[in-house]
Amino acid sequence: MSIDMEAVKELRHRSGAGVLDCKKALQECDGDIEKAVDYLREKGLAKAAKKAGRTASEGLVFSYIHTNGKIGTLVELNCETDFVARTDEFQELGKEIAMHIAAAAPLYVSVDDVPAEDLEREKEIYKAQALEEGKPEHIVEKIAEGRLAKFYEETCLLEQKYIRDPEKKIKDLIIEKIAVLGENIVVRRFSRFSIGE
């Protein structure tokens, strides 16, 4: 099947993937751009998963100051090489994450960073709420687990919905860049400053 170059261009624009990857995806998906986008995302996820264990000790610190000057953030974003740290894609990702942190006010980078005592306290609160609502005791634990998932979405940066595109989580944004740049990318830490808090 011959692939239309306009379709390749559009897919490349939408996915950020290389020309050869776009051509292959379109061939695999019989020229269907929507399916090809999904195909590339799946392949990107697989590649990103392989790269997740690799050491990311290079990178940059990004900052964002909201226009009123009352909220600011610093975020350390790491990658594997200085070369990738200097790419437009990496720098754009760092700026987007710094801006997202200012707007969404996460407390932790990932689920693994939530202290055990905070987790236990939240769980106990959710159990008590469920009992107060008259839920049967045998499902209270399940309800608490479900509410913990919501807690993670609200407080953990990587689990938060990206403010510019709520269909994606911040971790999805990072995985997409890993697929494009070919290196592991890690949010190491962040700080958020707000006047009066």
Side-chain angles (χ1 to χ4, degrees), residues 66-98:
H66 194 59
T67 49
N68 63 9
K70 296 188 184 274
I71 297 172
T73 62
L74 289 173
V75 62
E76 180 183 345
L77 190 64
N78 295 143
C79 57
E80 296 175 46
T81 63
D82 189 44
F83 172 78
V84 163
R86 287 182 273 133
T87 62
D88 291 343
E89 289 95 342
F90 184 83
Q91 298 203 8
E92 181 188 313
L93 177 64
K95 289 172 187 167
E96 287 297 313
I97 291 173

PDB file of all heavy atoms in Angstrom, residues 66-98:
ATOM      1  N   HIS A  66       3.531  33.130  37.820  1.00  0.00           N
ATOM      2  CA  HIS A  66       2.231  33.527  37.283  1.00  0.00           C
ATOM      3  C   HIS A  66       2.213  35.043  37.074  1.00  0.00           C
ATOM      4  O   HIS A  66       2.907  35.783  37.778  1.00  0.00           O
ATOM      5  CB  HIS A  66       1.107  33.083  38.227  1.00  0.00           C
ATOM      6  CG  HIS A  66      -0.242  33.163  37.602  1.00  0.00           C
ATOM      7  ND1 HIS A  66      -0.576  32.464  36.462  1.00  0.00           N
ATOM      8  CD2 HIS A  66      -1.337  33.873  37.947  1.00  0.00           C
ATOM      9  CE1 HIS A  66      -1.824  32.743  36.135  1.00  0.00           C
ATOM     10  NE2 HIS A  66      -2.308  33.592  37.025  1.00  0.00           N
ATOM     11  N   THR A  67       1.406  35.509  36.119  1.00  0.00           N
ATOM     12  CA  THR A  67       1.431  36.922  35.714  1.00  0.00           C
ATOM     13  C   THR A  67       1.197  37.897  36.869  1.00  0.00           C
ATOM     14  O   THR A  67       1.690  39.008  36.823  1.00  0.00           O
ATOM     15  CB  THR A  67       0.384  37.197  34.606  1.00  0.00           C
ATOM     16  OG1 THR A  67      -0.858  36.656  35.015  1.00  0.00           O
ATOM     17  CG2 THR A  67       0.813  36.598  33.295  1.00  0.00           C
ATOM     18  N   ASN A  68       0.455  37.485  37.900  1.00  0.00           N
ATOM     19  CA  ASN A  68       0.237  38.418  39.010  1.00  0.00           C
ATOM     20  C   ASN A  68       1.399  38.412  39.997  1.00  0.00           C
ATOM     21  O   ASN A  68       1.418  39.178  40.952  1.00  0.00           O
ATOM     22  CB  ASN A  68      -1.084  38.119  39.730  1.00  0.00           C
ATOM     23  CG  ASN A  68      -1.099  36.744  40.388  1.00  0.00           C
ATOM     24  OD1 ASN A  68      -0.082  36.057  40.469  1.00  0.00           O
ATOM     25  ND2 ASN A  68      -2.265  36.339  40.850  1.00  0.00           N
ATOM     26  N   GLY A  69       2.388  37.546  39.781  1.00  0.00           N
ATOM     27  CA  GLY A  69       3.572  37.498  40.629  1.00  0.00           C
ATOM     28  C   GLY A  69       3.332  36.889  42.002  1.00  0.00           C
ATOM     29  O   GLY A  69       4.197  36.934  42.862  1.00  0.00           O
ATOM     30  N   LYS A  70       2.172  36.307  42.216  1.00  0.00           N
ATOM     31  CA  LYS A  70       1.855  35.758  43.538  1.00  0.00           C
ATOM     32  C   LYS A  70       2.040  34.244  43.638  1.00  0.00           C
ATOM     33  O   LYS A  70       1.982  33.675  44.716  1.00  0.00           O
ATOM     34  CB  LYS A  70       0.421  36.132  43.931  1.00  0.00           C
ATOM     35  CG  LYS A  70       0.254  37.637  44.092  1.00  0.00           C
ATOM     36  CD  LYS A  70      -1.093  37.991  44.667  1.00  0.00           C
ATOM     37  CE  LYS A  70      -1.284  39.481  44.725  1.00  0.00           C
ATOM     38  NZ  LYS A  70      -0.736  40.080  45.926  1.00  0.00           N
ATOM     39  N   ILE A  71       2.251  33.577  42.502  1.00  0.00           N
ATOM     40  CA  ILE A  71       2.486  32.129  42.495  1.00  0.00           C
ATOM     41  C   ILE A  71       3.703  31.854  41.616  1.00  0.00           C
ATOM     42  O   ILE A  71       3.824  32.410  40.524  1.00  0.00           O
ATOM     43  CB  ILE A  71       1.273  31.356  41.927  1.00  0.00           C
ATOM     44  CG1 ILE A  71       0.042  31.566  42.796  1.00  0.00           C
ATOM     45  CG2 ILE A  71       1.582  29.865  41.822  1.00  0.00           C
ATOM     46  CD1 ILE A  71      -1.235  30.991  42.196  1.00  0.00           C
ATOM     47  N   GLY A  72       4.589  31.005  42.119  1.00  0.00           N
ATOM     48  CA  GLY A  72       5.766  30.630  41.344  1.00  0.00           C
ATOM     49  C   GLY A  72       6.132  29.184  41.604  1.00  0.00           C
ATOM     50  O   GLY A  72       5.789  28.634  42.655  1.00  0.00           O
ATOM     51  N   THR A  73       6.810  28.570  40.635  1.00  0.00           N
ATOM     52  CA  THR A  73       7.235  27.182  40.808  1.00  0.00           C
ATOM     53  C   THR A  73       8.649  26.981  40.280  1.00  0.00           C
ATOM     54  O   THR A  73       9.106  27.714  39.401  1.00  0.00           O
ATOM     55  CB  THR A  73       6.317  26.192  40.043  1.00  0.00           C
ATOM     56  OG1 THR A  73       6.379  26.467  38.649  1.00  0.00           O
ATOM     57  CG2 THR A  73       4.892  26.267  40.511  1.00  0.00           C
ATOM     58  N   LEU A  74       9.309  25.977  40.838  1.00  0.00           N
ATOM     59  CA  LEU A  74      10.584  25.477  40.332  1.00  0.00           C
ATOM     60  C   LEU A  74      10.414  23.971  40.192  1.00  0.00           C
ATOM     61  O   LEU A  74       9.834  23.336  41.085  1.00  0.00           O
ATOM     62  CB  LEU A  74      11.722  25.749  41.314  1.00  0.00           C
ATOM     63  CG  LEU A  74      12.170  27.190  41.481  1.00  0.00           C
ATOM     64  CD1 LEU A  74      13.196  27.296  42.613  1.00  0.00           C
ATOM     65  CD2 LEU A  74      12.780  27.718  40.187  1.00  0.00           C
ATOM     66  N   VAL A  75      10.882  23.407  39.103  1.00  0.00           N
ATOM     67  CA  VAL A  75      10.788  21.964  38.908  1.00  0.00           C
ATOM     68  C   VAL A  75      12.085  21.456  38.286  1.00  0.00           C
ATOM     69  O   VAL A  75      12.617  22.063  37.362  1.00  0.00           O
ATOM     70  CB  VAL A  75       9.547  21.572  38.060  1.00  0.00           C
ATOM     71  CG1 VAL A  75       9.616  22.169  36.677  1.00  0.00           C
ATOM     72  CG2 VAL A  75       9.392  20.069  37.961  1.00  0.00           C
ATOM     73  N   GLU A  76      12.619  20.358  38.861  1.00  0.00           N
ATOM     74  CA  GLU A  76      13.803  19.722  38.304  1.00  0.00           C
ATOM     75  C   GLU A  76      13.337  18.578  37.419  1.00  0.00           C
ATOM     76  O   GLU A  76      12.692  17.639  37.873  1.00  0.00           O
ATOM     77  CB  GLU A  76      14.701  19.168  39.414  1.00  0.00           C
ATOM     78  CG  GLU A  76      15.941  18.490  38.869  1.00  0.00           C
ATOM     79  CD  GLU A  76      16.825  17.865  39.951  1.00  0.00           C
ATOM     80  OE1 GLU A  76      16.651  18.186  41.132  1.00  0.00           O
ATOM     81  OE2 GLU A  76      17.688  17.049  39.578  1.00  0.00           O
ATOM     82  N   LEU A  77      13.659  18.688  36.132  1.00  0.00           N
ATOM     83  CA  LEU A  77      13.300  17.671  35.149  1.00  0.00           C
ATOM     84  C   LEU A  77      14.593  17.040  34.635  1.00  0.00           C
ATOM     85  O   LEU A  77      15.462  17.752  34.140  1.00  0.00           O
ATOM     86  CB  LEU A  77      12.503  18.301  34.001  1.00  0.00           C
ATOM     87  CG  LEU A  77      11.853  17.349  33.004  1.00  0.00           C
ATOM     88  CD1 LEU A  77      10.783  16.495  33.689  1.00  0.00           C
ATOM     89  CD2 LEU A  77      11.227  18.127  31.849  1.00  0.00           C
ATOM     90  N   ASN A  78      14.721  15.738  34.792  1.00  0.00           N
ATOM     91  CA  ASN A  78      15.953  15.044  34.411  1.00  0.00           C
ATOM     92  C   ASN A  78      15.761  14.202  33.157  1.00  0.00           C
ATOM     93  O   ASN A  78      14.664  13.724  32.872  1.00  0.00           O
ATOM     94  CB  ASN A  78      16.427  14.134  35.542  1.00  0.00           C
ATOM     95  CG  ASN A  78      16.840  14.894  36.784  1.00  0.00           C
ATOM     96  OD1 ASN A  78      16.611  14.442  37.884  1.00  0.00           O
ATOM     97  ND2 ASN A  78      17.452  16.052  36.621  1.00  0.00           N
ATOM     98  N   CYS A  79      16.867  14.038  32.430  1.00  0.00           N
ATOM     99  CA  CYS A  79      16.930  13.163  31.262  1.00  0.00           C
ATOM    100  C   CYS A  79      18.295  12.477  31.302  1.00  0.00           C
ATOM    101  O   CYS A  79      19.032  12.642  32.267  1.00  0.00           O
ATOM    102  CB  CYS A  79      16.722  13.957  29.978  1.00  0.00           C
ATOM    103  SG  CYS A  79      17.902  15.307  29.779  1.00  0.00           S
ATOM    104  N   GLU A  80      18.625  11.730  30.277  1.00  0.00           N
ATOM    105  CA  GLU A  80      19.870  10.952  30.298  1.00  0.00           C
ATOM    106  C   GLU A  80      21.085  11.714  29.778  1.00  0.00           C
ATOM    107  O   GLU A  80      22.207  11.433  30.181  1.00  0.00           O
ATOM    108  CB  GLU A  80      19.694   9.665  29.487  1.00  0.00           C
ATOM    109  CG  GLU A  80      18.667   8.726  30.083  1.00  0.00           C
ATOM    110  CD  GLU A  80      18.414   7.521  29.201  1.00  0.00           C
ATOM    111  OE1 GLU A  80      19.392   6.911  28.718  1.00  0.00           O
ATOM    112  OE2 GLU A  80      17.241   7.186  28.984  1.00  0.00           O
ATOM    113  N   THR A  81      20.881  12.668  28.855  1.00  0.00           N
ATOM    114  CA  THR A  81      22.031  13.377  28.273  1.00  0.00           C
ATOM    115  C   THR A  81      21.770  14.877  28.215  1.00  0.00           C
ATOM    116  O   THR A  81      20.625  15.331  28.133  1.00  0.00           O
ATOM    117  CB  THR A  81      22.318  12.901  26.824  1.00  0.00           C
ATOM    118  OG1 THR A  81      21.192  13.207  26.010  1.00  0.00           O
ATOM    119  CG2 THR A  81      22.613  11.415  26.778  1.00  0.00           C
ATOM    120  N   ASP A  82      22.872  15.624  28.231  1.00  0.00           N
ATOM    121  CA  ASP A  82      22.806  17.075  28.118  1.00  0.00           C
ATOM    122  C   ASP A  82      22.242  17.480  26.756  1.00  0.00           C
ATOM    123  O   ASP A  82      21.556  18.486  26.625  1.00  0.00           O
ATOM    124  CB  ASP A  82      24.212  17.651  28.317  1.00  0.00           C
ATOM    125  CG  ASP A  82      24.200  19.161  28.423  1.00  0.00           C
ATOM    126  OD1 ASP A  82      23.319  19.679  29.136  1.00  0.00           O
ATOM    127  OD2 ASP A  82      25.061  19.812  27.806  1.00  0.00           O
ATOM    128  N   PHE A  83      22.519  16.654  25.739  1.00  0.00           N
ATOM    129  CA  PHE A  83      22.026  16.922  24.393  1.00  0.00           C
ATOM    130  C   PHE A  83      20.494  17.021  24.396  1.00  0.00           C
ATOM    131  O   PHE A  83      19.912  17.964  23.858  1.00  0.00           O
ATOM    132  CB  PHE A  83      22.490  15.825  23.427  1.00  0.00           C
ATOM    133  CG  PHE A  83      21.870  15.933  22.060  1.00  0.00           C
ATOM    134  CD1 PHE A  83      22.334  16.867  21.156  1.00  0.00           C
ATOM    135  CD2 PHE A  83      20.800  15.117  21.696  1.00  0.00           C
ATOM    136  CE1 PHE A  83      21.752  16.989  19.893  1.00  0.00           C
ATOM    137  CE2 PHE A  83      20.222  15.231  20.445  1.00  0.00           C
ATOM    138  CZ  PHE A  83      20.688  16.166  19.542  1.00  0.00           C
ATOM    139  N   VAL A  84      19.820  16.042  25.005  1.00  0.00           N
ATOM    140  CA  VAL A  84      18.353  16.049  25.058  1.00  0.00           C
ATOM    141  C   VAL A  84      17.857  17.207  25.914  1.00  0.00           C
ATOM    142  O   VAL A  84      16.854  17.843  25.598  1.00  0.00           O
ATOM    143  CB  VAL A  84      17.802  14.689  25.559  1.00  0.00           C
ATOM    144  CG1 VAL A  84      16.358  14.794  26.003  1.00  0.00           C
ATOM    145  CG2 VAL A  84      17.922  13.654  24.443  1.00  0.00           C
ATOM    146  N   ALA A  85      18.568  17.517  26.996  1.00  0.00           N
ATOM    147  CA  ALA A  85      18.160  18.617  27.878  1.00  0.00           C
ATOM    148  C   ALA A  85      18.083  19.938  27.114  1.00  0.00           C
ATOM    149  O   ALA A  85      17.287  20.823  27.473  1.00  0.00           O
ATOM    150  CB  ALA A  85      19.120  18.746  29.053  1.00  0.00           C
ATOM    151  N   ARG A  86      18.870  20.066  26.051  1.00  0.00           N
ATOM    152  CA  ARG A  86      18.886  21.317  25.284  1.00  0.00           C
ATOM    153  C   ARG A  86      17.882  21.337  24.133  1.00  0.00           C
ATOM    154  O   ARG A  86      17.765  22.343  23.445  1.00  0.00           O
ATOM    155  CB  ARG A  86      20.297  21.592  24.767  1.00  0.00           C
ATOM    156  CG  ARG A  86      21.229  22.034  25.900  1.00  0.00           C
ATOM    157  CD  ARG A  86      22.626  22.355  25.420  1.00  0.00           C
ATOM    158  NE  ARG A  86      23.404  21.105  25.419  1.00  0.00           N
ATOM    159  CZ  ARG A  86      24.172  20.711  24.419  1.00  0.00           C
ATOM    160  NH1 ARG A  86      24.296  21.429  23.345  1.00  0.00           N
ATOM    161  NH2 ARG A  86      24.827  19.572  24.489  1.00  0.00           N
ATOM    162  N   THR A  87      17.147  20.248  23.924  1.00  0.00           N
ATOM    163  CA  THR A  87      16.189  20.227  22.810  1.00  0.00           C
ATOM    164  C   THR A  87      14.950  21.058  23.137  1.00  0.00           C
ATOM    165  O   THR A  87      14.580  21.221  24.308  1.00  0.00           O
ATOM    166  CB  THR A  87      15.728  18.781  22.481  1.00  0.00           C
ATOM    167  OG1 THR A  87      15.055  18.240  23.619  1.00  0.00           O
ATOM    168  CG2 THR A  87      16.883  17.903  22.065  1.00  0.00           C
ATOM    169  N   ASP A  88      14.313  21.577  22.107  1.00  0.00           N
ATOM    170  CA  ASP A  88      13.094  22.373  22.286  1.00  0.00           C
ATOM    171  C   ASP A  88      12.002  21.551  22.950  1.00  0.00           C
ATOM    172  O   ASP A  88      11.267  22.067  23.796  1.00  0.00           O
ATOM    173  CB  ASP A  88      12.585  22.890  20.930  1.00  0.00           C
ATOM    174  CG  ASP A  88      13.513  23.949  20.339  1.00  0.00           C
ATOM    175  OD1 ASP A  88      14.339  24.513  21.088  1.00  0.00           O
ATOM    176  OD2 ASP A  88      13.407  24.202  19.127  1.00  0.00           O
ATOM    177  N   GLU A  89      11.878  20.261  22.560  1.00  0.00           N
ATOM    178  CA  GLU A  89      10.821  19.412  23.109  1.00  0.00           C
ATOM    179  C   GLU A  89      10.962  19.252  24.618  1.00  0.00           C
ATOM    180  O   GLU A  89       9.996  19.337  25.360  1.00  0.00           O
ATOM    181  CB  GLU A  89      10.819  18.012  22.462  1.00  0.00           C
ATOM    182  CG  GLU A  89      10.342  17.982  21.043  1.00  0.00           C
ATOM    183  CD  GLU A  89      11.500  18.059  20.056  1.00  0.00           C
ATOM    184  OE1 GLU A  89      12.619  18.465  20.446  1.00  0.00           O
ATOM    185  OE2 GLU A  89      11.271  17.719  18.883  1.00  0.00           O
ATOM    186  N   PHE A  90      12.187  19.008  25.079  1.00  0.00           N
ATOM    187  CA  PHE A  90      12.449  18.834  26.509  1.00  0.00           C
ATOM    188  C   PHE A  90      12.155  20.128  27.260  1.00  0.00           C
ATOM    189  O   PHE A  90      11.501  20.128  28.306  1.00  0.00           O
ATOM    190  CB  PHE A  90      13.898  18.389  26.742  1.00  0.00           C
ATOM    191  CG  PHE A  90      14.214  18.087  28.184  1.00  0.00           C
ATOM    192  CD1 PHE A  90      13.903  16.840  28.723  1.00  0.00           C
ATOM    193  CD2 PHE A  90      14.825  19.028  28.994  1.00  0.00           C
ATOM    194  CE1 PHE A  90      14.190  16.558  30.049  1.00  0.00           C
ATOM    195  CE2 PHE A  90      15.112  18.749  30.324  1.00  0.00           C
ATOM    196  CZ  PHE A  90      14.804  17.511  30.853  1.00  0.00           C
ATOM    197  N   GLN A  91      12.622  21.246  26.696  1.00  0.00           N
ATOM    198  CA  GLN A  91      12.432  22.533  27.369  1.00  0.00           C
ATOM    199  C   GLN A  91      10.963  22.921  27.411  1.00  0.00           C
ATOM    200  O   GLN A  91      10.473  23.463  28.405  1.00  0.00           O
ATOM    201  CB  GLN A  91      13.273  23.600  26.687  1.00  0.00           C
ATOM    202  CG  GLN A  91      14.744  23.230  26.795  1.00  0.00           C
ATOM    203  CD  GLN A  91      15.694  24.380  26.682  1.00  0.00           C
ATOM    204  OE1 GLN A  91      15.288  25.526  26.663  1.00  0.00           O
ATOM    205  NE2 GLN A  91      16.957  24.072  26.619  1.00  0.00           N
ATOM    206  N   GLU A  92      10.259  22.628  26.342  1.00  0.00           N
ATOM    207  CA  GLU A  92       8.815  22.902  26.306  1.00  0.00           C
ATOM    208  C   GLU A  92       8.098  22.075  27.379  1.00  0.00           C
ATOM    209  O   GLU A  92       7.227  22.579  28.090  1.00  0.00           O
ATOM    210  CB  GLU A  92       8.273  22.537  24.919  1.00  0.00           C
ATOM    211  CG  GLU A  92       6.796  22.801  24.730  1.00  0.00           C
ATOM    212  CD  GLU A  92       6.306  22.229  23.404  1.00  0.00           C
ATOM    213  OE1 GLU A  92       6.959  22.451  22.378  1.00  0.00           O
ATOM    214  OE2 GLU A  92       5.261  21.555  23.429  1.00  0.00           O
ATOM    215  N   LEU A  93       8.483  20.802  27.516  1.00  0.00           N
ATOM    216  CA  LEU A  93       7.889  19.936  28.534  1.00  0.00           C
ATOM    217  C   LEU A  93       8.142  20.501  29.931  1.00  0.00           C
ATOM    218  O   LEU A  93       7.219  20.564  30.756  1.00  0.00           O
ATOM    219  CB  LEU A  93       8.458  18.519  28.422  1.00  0.00           C
ATOM    220  CG  LEU A  93       7.982  17.513  29.480  1.00  0.00           C
ATOM    221  CD1 LEU A  93       6.479  17.260  29.363  1.00  0.00           C
ATOM    222  CD2 LEU A  93       8.753  16.209  29.364  1.00  0.00           C
ATOM    223  N   GLY A  94       9.370  20.930  30.192  1.00  0.00           N
ATOM    224  CA  GLY A  94       9.707  21.497  31.500  1.00  0.00           C
ATOM    225  C   GLY A  94       8.873  22.720  31.820  1.00  0.00           C
ATOM    226  O   GLY A  94       8.358  22.860  32.946  1.00  0.00           O
ATOM    227  N   LYS A  95       8.707  23.594  30.842  1.00  0.00           N
ATOM    228  CA  LYS A  95       7.903  24.816  31.057  1.00  0.00           C
ATOM    229  C   LYS A  95       6.444  24.475  31.294  1.00  0.00           C
ATOM    230  O   LYS A  95       5.778  25.068  32.143  1.00  0.00           O
ATOM    231  CB  LYS A  95       8.046  25.750  29.845  1.00  0.00           C
ATOM    232  CG  LYS A  95       9.416  26.400  29.761  1.00  0.00           C
ATOM    233  CD  LYS A  95       9.587  27.166  28.455  1.00  0.00           C
ATOM    234  CE  LYS A  95      11.012  27.660  28.303  1.00  0.00           C
ATOM    235  NZ  LYS A  95      11.323  28.125  26.973  1.00  0.00           N
ATOM    236  N   GLU A  96       5.930  23.513  30.526  1.00  0.00           N
ATOM    237  CA  GLU A  96       4.526  23.103  30.694  1.00  0.00           C
ATOM    238  C   GLU A  96       4.278  22.508  32.080  1.00  0.00           C
ATOM    239  O   GLU A  96       3.272  22.801  32.725  1.00  0.00           O
ATOM    240  CB  GLU A  96       4.124  22.083  29.618  1.00  0.00           C
ATOM    241  CG  GLU A  96       3.959  22.677  28.237  1.00  0.00           C
ATOM    242  CD  GLU A  96       2.852  23.711  28.142  1.00  0.00           C
ATOM    243  OE1 GLU A  96       1.738  23.453  28.638  1.00  0.00           O
ATOM    244  OE2 GLU A  96       3.098  24.787  27.576  1.00  0.00           O
ATOM    245  N   ILE A  97       5.209  21.681  32.535  1.00  0.00           N
ATOM    246  CA  ILE A  97       5.051  21.062  33.858  1.00  0.00           C
ATOM    247  C   ILE A  97       5.138  22.117  34.953  1.00  0.00           C
ATOM    248  O   ILE A  97       4.350  22.106  35.902  1.00  0.00           O
ATOM    249  CB  ILE A  97       6.093  19.931  34.068  1.00  0.00           C
ATOM    250  CG1 ILE A  97       5.758  18.756  33.141  1.00  0.00           C
ATOM    251  CG2 ILE A  97       6.108  19.473  35.528  1.00  0.00           C
ATOM    252  CD1 ILE A  97       6.794  17.640  33.134  1.00  0.00           C
ATOM    253  N   ALA A  98       6.075  23.070  34.824  1.00  0.00           N
ATOM    254  CA  ALA A  98       6.196  24.140  35.819  1.00  0.00           C
ATOM    255  C   ALA A  98       4.911  24.966  35.882  1.00  0.00           C
ATOM    256  O   ALA A  98       4.420  25.295  36.973  1.00  0.00           O
ATOM    257  CB  ALA A  98       7.399  25.031  35.486  1.00  0.00           C
TER     258      ALA A  98
END
